[in-house]
Amino acid sequence: MSSLTKANDVLGTVNRGNIAESGLCTLCRADCQGKCECWLSSLKGRAMLYPRDFGMVTAGSGNTTHVGVNYNALRIQGYNYGAKAFVEGRTNSPDDCLFTNVSLETSFGKGHKARLPLMTGALGSTFIAAKYWDSFAAGCSLSGIPIVVGENVVGVDRESILSNGKISKAPELDRRIAGYMRYFDGYGAIIVQLNVEDTRNGVAEYVIDKYGDKVIIELKWGQGAKNIGGEIEVSSLDYALFLKRRGYLVDPDPELAEVREGYESGAVKGFARHSRLGYTDLDSEAAVRDNFMANVAHLRKLGYTSISLKTGSYGMEALAMAIRYATDCELDLLTIDGSGGGTGMSPWNMMETWGVPSILLHAKAYEYASLLASRGKKVVDLSFAGGFAREDHIFKAMALGAPYAKLICMGRAVMIPGFLGANIEGALNPESRDAVCGNWDALPKSVKDIGASPEEIFAGWASVKKKVGLDEMKHVPYGAVAICTLMDKLGAGMQQLLAGARKFSVCEIAREDIASANRETALETGIPFITSIQDESARRLLLA
């Protein structure tokens, strides 16, 4: 079954809309009634690793064509003997070499740990991120993976207070940090982004004064979805005026008389708030470097021990700058977001046509990191982003970037279970529908086919209850349970793939664990064509 096939009869999944390379619909709706693979995995968990209707069916792969240069054109290697990379206390005994014994724990930066090699994309000032934050935060914290509070959260908060141009009160940011820290047990991390407006508003100073080194601060260069600053859309004229007073670009300009007239007549129905471009007053790489170093030094002086950088799908010079600067400044993490990922709101044709596709950007990131390593540099830990949703995506991207890639960043794939769980909670508990942002009046057939109660519906319900206890379970959003259920499926799938590659720790994943399925992909990524791998040793064996 091709990864770009809209309906997968083997798994019983169907995409509602047009399908992206990730396997998600290009337009992902919070009220969706199903049932793409990610949606269904958020309920059924690891059962989605296998063909449906066992005992009545046999199944065969349809994914035999690999066209173009993309992650689908990489295949995962398996080996027929040996085993390595055991956790303490395990050996190469067949009784120990079970896929369930594969360790998925990873670490990055200055001792930050994660139970899975995953993190979220930046969940910033879009209203959908704010509405479902309780589910996202609790689910990621319980799963032990890092979450990112994206740009502009403070600036768009009407309850936040600026004193002399600097933030003195930020209730929405506080809510987001508290939601994650409620279940934080040492695995994962909460990362807060800074863009131009956040820097001007003193977000870094506010966070360090209130939370100390509990938070990783992230400098924002860009993302794969667009090559301009972040956007949101608001429908209220009053809110648009507030955002303009906060210093944002608002389009169309709500202060123009003709725009107000259009709004009052109903022709203008919304306003787009835009962030500024960074580094516009710098005209050389050297100037950017000096500015970046000064910014990092300032954050260190404030007291930040952990700093990360997020960059987008710019050209090769910007990629090299990001890797070199982050390495020289000993940052904890560099997230490299390729074109083909997701967005809360980006100009659509810009998203479709700008930037370097993920696999090409990530392949060059490995090449450039290796150049630095060859000179004795300790290369910054990398996270790859841009169109990932399944366990095979995680494996391929980590292998392509090995040994530098420590995490894979997923945006929409981690949000889907948050939406779905909230819809189920609202349908089962109508009195709480608005509070949990549920969109359904009743459970649709796609959910009722699985169960009628949360205990029946979510494969991960009992595991979450065991972790938090019965009393606390009353406070865990259903969306968080759905995230934990999806994480269990992704984790089990990764364990199976790693066991097949005879690697019993994700930290030992390597480039030889993948192969290119066409020669163009081999040329562009440096991953050999599949029949070239081990061909020499095979011939020696035959001729011995």
Side-chain angles (χ1 to χ4, degrees):
M1 193 70 60
S2 169
S3 64
L4 300 184
T5 300
K6 190 168 182 177
N8 187 327
D9 190 34
V10 172
L11 296 179
T13 62
V14 180
N15 284 70
R16 176 197 52 77
N18 299 329
I19 193 168
E21 184 181 340
S22 63
L24 304 179
C25 298
T26 51
L27 186 70
C28 187
R29 294 184 59 90
D31 61 354
C32 181
Q33 296 186 7
K35 49 182 180 177
C36 73
E37 183 177 341
C38 187
W39 189 99
L40 206 51
S41 298
S42 302
L43 306 181
K44 300 177 70 173
R46 60 178 65 197
M48 288 298 296
L49 295 171
Y50 311 102
R52 64 191 177 101
D53 298 334
F54 174 76
M56 296 179 63
V57 303
T58 60
S61 173
N63 192 19
T64 56
T65 302
H66 304 85
V67 179
V69 182
N70 51 68
Y71 271 103
N72 187 50
L74 294 177
R75 290 191 67 89
I76 294 169
Q77 292 281 63
Y79 304 97
N80 68 334
Y81 66 89
K84 56 184 176 180
F86 309 104
V87 297
E88 187 177 353
R90 301 289 184 185
T91 69
N92 62 352
S93 161
D95 293 324
D96 274 349
C97 293
L98 309 175
F99 80 83
T100 49
N101 288 336
V102 172
S103 172
L104 296 178
E105 284 192 16
T106 187
S107 62
F108 66 96
K110 300 173 184 66
H112 299 285
K113 300 181 294 182
R115 287 195 171 88
L116 295 166
L118 285 176
M119 63 182 291
T120 74
L123 303 166
S125 57
T126 59
F127 299 145
I128 203 164
K131 283 168 61 176
Y132 295 94
W133 180 261
D134 290 347
S135 289
F136 301 152
C140 291
S141 185
L142 287 167
S143 299
I145 66 171
I147 195 169
V148 183
V149 179
E151 60 192 351
N152 294 311
V153 168
V154 172
V156 304
D157 181 7
R158 301 190 77 164
E159 301 302 316
S160 63
I161 296 175
L162 275 71
S163 303
N164 299 319
K166 300 295 183 182
I167 289 293
S168 59
K169 181 182 177 182
E172 175 60 18
L173 179 60
D174 291 340
R175 181 181 77 91
R176 296 201 186 191
I177 294 174
Y180 185 82
M181 296 306 295
R182 178 168 183 151
Y183 299 110
F184 178 69
D185 64 355
Y187 284 86
I190 187 158
I191 301 170
V192 175
Q193 277 189 351
L194 296 179
N195 69 355
V196 174
E197 287 83 8
D198 294 321
T199 300
R200 289 182 176 181
N201 290 340
V203 171
E205 288 80 359
Y206 177 87
V207 170
I208 195 69
D209 288 345
K210 189 159 187 176
Y211 299 102
D213 61 2
K214 293 179 181 178
V215 173
I216 299 174
I217 202 75
E218 180 164 275
L219 297 166
K220 175 76 177 289
W221 274 13
Q223 58 281 303
K226 52 186 170 282
N227 56 358
I228 59 175
E231 305 92 359
I232 63 170
E233 184 178 32
V234 300
S235 58
S236 161
L237 175 63
D238 183 60
Y239 193 18
L241 291 167
F242 164 80
L243 291 171
K244 184 168 184 183
R245 290 193 297 270
R246 272 278 162 99
Y248 289 107
L249 167 65
V250 181
D251 181 48
D253 188 343
E255 293 182 342
L256 295 178
E258 59 270 30
V259 171
R260 291 184 182 228
E261 181 180 343
Y263 180 80
E264 290 167 1
S265 69
V268 175
K269 294 180 172 59
F271 303 87
R273 182 236 67 201
H274 291 261
S275 298
R276 289 167 174 76
L277 295 169
Y279 295 143
T280 55
D281 53 346
L282 305 177
D283 58 5
S284 70
E285 182 273 327
V288 174
R289 180 182 178 87
D290 290 344
N291 183 279
F292 184 84
M293 298 295 178
N295 286 340
V296 172
H298 172 68
L299 293 173
R300 298 278 190 216
K301 188 175 181 180
L302 288 176
Y304 285 102
T305 56
S306 295
I307 304 172
S308 61
L309 172 64
K310 167 78 174 293
T311 190
S313 49
Y314 305 116
M316 297 306 104
E317 182 187 51
L319 176 63
M321 290 163 69
I323 296 172
R324 180 62 192 265
Y325 298 176
T327 295
D328 286 351
C329 289
E330 299 182 355
L331 298 193
D332 288 69
L333 190 68
L334 167 62
T335 298
I336 300 171
D337 190 9
S339 291
T343 183
M345 182 184 169
S346 297
W348 178 246
N349 288 326
M350 174 186 287
M351 186 172 176
E352 288 281 86
T353 57
W354 105 275
V356 185
S358 294
I359 192 170
L360 300 177
L361 193 69
H362 298 157
K364 293 300 285 187
Y366 164 80
E367 184 180 330
Y368 294 166
S370 296
L371 277 176
L372 284 183
S374 71
R375 299 182 61 192
K377 296 277 189 180
K378 185 183 183 303
V379 178
V380 63
D381 290 335
L382 303 181
S383 174
F384 286 167
F388 301 126
R390 300 195 312 252
E391 62 273 3
D392 55 298
H393 299 155
I394 304 168
F395 188 106
K396 291 175 183 180
M398 290 197 71
L400 182 64
Y404 312 108
K406 306 298 184 184
L407 296 167
I408 299 305
C409 178
M410 286 187 177
R412 295 192 299 151
V414 181
M415 300 174 78
I416 288 169
F419 306 152
L420 176 54
N423 290 336
I424 293 170
E425 186 169 1
L428 293 177
N429 304 290
E431 71 283 355
S432 65
R433 186 174 299 141
D434 291 341
V436 301
C437 304
N439 297 294
W440 301 342
D441 293 329
L443 294 181
K445 183 178 184 301
S446 52
V447 176
K448 288 193 290 187
D449 284 346
I450 298 170
S453 68
E455 292 85 354
E456 286 182 298
I457 293 169
F458 297 106
W461 184 272
S463 295
V464 175
K465 184 175 70 172
K466 179 180 178 181
K467 183 177 180 67
V468 303
L470 181 60
D471 290 341
E472 182 61 28
M473 195 67 183
K474 301 170 186 174
H475 304 291
V476 177
Y478 288 14
V481 179
I483 289 172
C484 293
T485 304
L486 176 63
M487 292 300 116
D488 182 67
K489 180 262 187 179
L490 294 174
M494 273 290 288
Q495 287 178 313
Q496 292 174 343
L497 293 170
L498 283 159
R502 308 296 176 117
K503 301 286 180 68
F504 284 81
S505 170
V506 72
C507 298
E508 295 299 321
I509 200 167
R511 282 168 66 88
E512 61 261 26
D513 295 326
I514 52 175
S516 291
N518 61 54
R519 297 189 186 278
E520 187 182 6
T521 298
L523 176 66
E524 297 296 340
T525 64
I527 300 297
F529 183 63
I530 194 164
T531 58
S532 299
I533 296 171
Q534 295 184 330
D535 185 56
E536 288 187 14
S537 62
R539 291 174 182 275
R540 286 196 301 269
L541 183 155
L542 292 168
L543 297 174

